[in-house]
Amino acid sequence: MKETVYDLIILGAGPAGLTAGIYARRARLKTLILEKNFTGGGQIVSTDQVDNYPGMPKISGYELAEAFVNHAHALGLEITQAKITSIETDAQTGEKVIGTKKGNFRGKALLFACGAGHRHLGVPGEEELAGMGVSYCATCDGAFFKDRTVAVVGGGNSAVEEALFLSRLCAKVFLIHRRETLRADPVLWEPLEKAENIEVLYNTTVSRITGEEQVEKLVLCKQGRGEYEQKVDGVFLAVGMEPNTQLAQGLVNLDENGYIVAGEDGKTSAPGIFAAGDIRTKRVRQILTAAADGAAVIASVSDYLLQDCTISTNSIEN
Ligand code: NAP
């Protein structure tokens, strides 16, 4: 049986991938999304509350993700759960061949929309106690620490939002930041100051996380004070994101931080391979900008399929 050749295969079902899928369906492109997780939606699924998506004040991340997925399904977008093992270009046809444990999928164009994952702190105890008090997601694991003492590490939007979320559950929250000022948006400073059970430890780093079968203490290092121990029941690490570009290495140019080099048009260094959302080089990484990327990139994909692609485009649906 002849293998289906998609016009476009999208890797990742977060806001960028789903929006690209919606726009691709509207452009009548035969499109498939491959997503590694069971539910689509990307990082926002584990976001407690989204307050900066226009028209949707205070919507939960889960609800917004669900709305994206439902919209995509309503337009007939095909979404398959599969873990990708390889990406190759067919030397004869130029098609991109995506290898998965469910078999191969072929596309004339390929879009990386795999987003970014949590950066690790890289201190002793982090790996050993992962899932035993070390967490990267307060909305996922916060309930285990009801009325307990926890720490959040980081000074960006994620760290402050996690600290605020945990302050509503936990007895005490330490927010540990390595600098004198927070990187988080000013809109978050006031609620942080008002939360009586959050203590911000500035100019402080974590040297070690210790505990037998569960996190028990952090060894902290404060500028001018040196090392000291702080008892905690759990620690949430929110020290930024790293792009999920393992599969893109060797296929397209990456910048020094591992992001795919691509502009708003989503074009990468390789013809027929595009990038959208948090995975590409850009200044502002938000749900809105990821979704905007997903819309913009389909214009480039359509141009490629109609003008540059040497593969027959007769599968474009009418
Ligand atoms: P981020 O903005 O990159 O902040 C990471 C924080 O972790 C920084 O404060 C950084 O310190 C600190 N850090 C990094 N490596 C560290 C290390 N090894 N040890 C100690 N501290 C370390 O990351 P994010 O907060 O995850 O946000 C990622 C992106 O998503 C951002 O663009 C953010 O605006 C966006 N976001 C937006 C919202 C929202 O709009 N509601 C919510 C969440 C995330 P320095 O400050 O010293 O660099």
Side-chain angles (χ1 to χ4, degrees):
M1 201 176 75
K2 200 172 175 305
E3 235 177 12
T4 302
V5 180
Y6 291 90
D7 294 315
L8 173 64
I9 294 182
I10 299 170
L11 308 185
L18 288 167
T19 307
I22 288 167
Y23 274 71
R25 286 300 303 151
R26 290 169 60 85
R28 299 289 183 264
L29 301 182
K30 188 164 181 57
T31 306
L32 170 71
I33 293 191
L34 295 174
E35 162 61 43
K36 72 174 186 316
N37 292 322
F38 186 63
T39 51
Q43 284 171 52
I44 57 168
V45 171
S46 53
T47 301
D48 173 40
Q49 189 175 284
V50 176
D51 204 18
N52 55 1
Y53 198 80
M56 305 273 189
K58 304 209 185 302
I59 189 168
S60 78
Y62 185 86
E63 278 176 312
L64 187 57
E66 198 177 38
F68 282 151
V69 173
N70 289 345
H71 189 168
H73 277 309
L75 288 170
L77 187 65
E78 223 180 299
I79 305 176
T80 296
Q81 187 206 358
K83 192 167 165 17
I84 295 151
T85 51
S86 62
I87 302 176
E88 281 165 17
T89 300
D90 184 318
Q92 282 194 323
T93 63
E95 291 159 4
K96 321 293 176 222
V97 184
I98 319 301
T100 77
K101 287 187 177 156
K102 290 183 173 168
N104 288 349
F105 297 90
R106 279 176 179 265
K108 295 170 193 169
L110 175 64
L111 171 61
F112 280 98
C114 326
H118 297 287
R119 180 181 292 140
H120 287 213
L121 197 55
V123 296
E126 178 179 7
E127 302 302 326
E128 297 85 338
L129 292 162
M132 294 186 282
V134 173
S135 170
Y136 299 86
C137 175
T139 38
C140 316
D141 300 329
F144 297 121
F145 300 92
K146 194 169 179 325
D147 301 325
R148 313 285 292 274
T149 296
V150 297
V152 176
V153 184
N157 282 331
S158 300
V160 175
E161 286 184 355
E162 301 247 294
L164 289 169
F165 174 80
L166 289 164
S167 72
R168 299 193 286 273
L169 286 172
C170 303
K172 173 87 183 176
V173 180
F174 292 100
L175 177 60
I176 300 167
H177 183 38
R178 64 182 175 182
R179 289 189 205 284
E180 210 164 83
T181 48
L182 296 169
R183 177 188 288 274
D185 293 341
V187 71
L188 293 170
W189 299 351
E190 198 188 323
L192 186 65
E193 273 167 24
K194 278 191 179 157
E196 287 175 358
N197 59 347
I198 300 180
E199 186 177 338
V200 187
L201 307 178
Y202 292 102
N203 295 317
T204 303
T205 54
V206 177
S207 311
R208 284 193 303 282
I209 305 170
T210 64
E212 283 299 316
E213 289 180 353
Q214 185 70 27
V215 169
E216 290 166 19
K217 283 178 200 159
L218 299 178
V219 178
L220 302 177
C221 184
K222 186 172 171 67
Q223 251 173 45
R225 175 177 169 181
E227 282 199 339
Y228 69 102
E229 288 184 346
Q230 177 61 57
K231 275 186 76 171
V232 292
D233 300 303
V235 57
F236 292 82
L237 304 176
V239 293
M241 308 299 289
E242 281 178 347
N244 294 322
T245 42
Q246 298 83 348
L247 289 162
Q249 278 169 23
L251 289 176
V252 293
N253 288 347
L254 307 181
D255 76 357
E256 65 282 6
N257 296 315
Y259 290 89
I260 296 177
V261 178
E264 194 193 353
D265 61 10
K267 289 183 189 169
T268 70
S269 56
I273 303 184
F274 300 85
D278 285 6
I279 199 166
R280 78 166 176 92
T281 45
K282 64 194 319 202
R283 180 160 177 209
V284 180
R285 294 195 170 86
Q286 301 271 298
I287 302 168
L288 185 69
T289 60
D293 274 9
V297 75
I298 295 306
S300 306
V301 171
S302 299
D303 287 350
Y304 170 76
L305 292 172
L306 291 168
Q307 292 163 20
D308 306 325
C309 181
T310 50
I311 311 162
S312 157
T313 54
N314 58 10
S315 75
I316 295 182
E317 295 172 1
N318 292 311

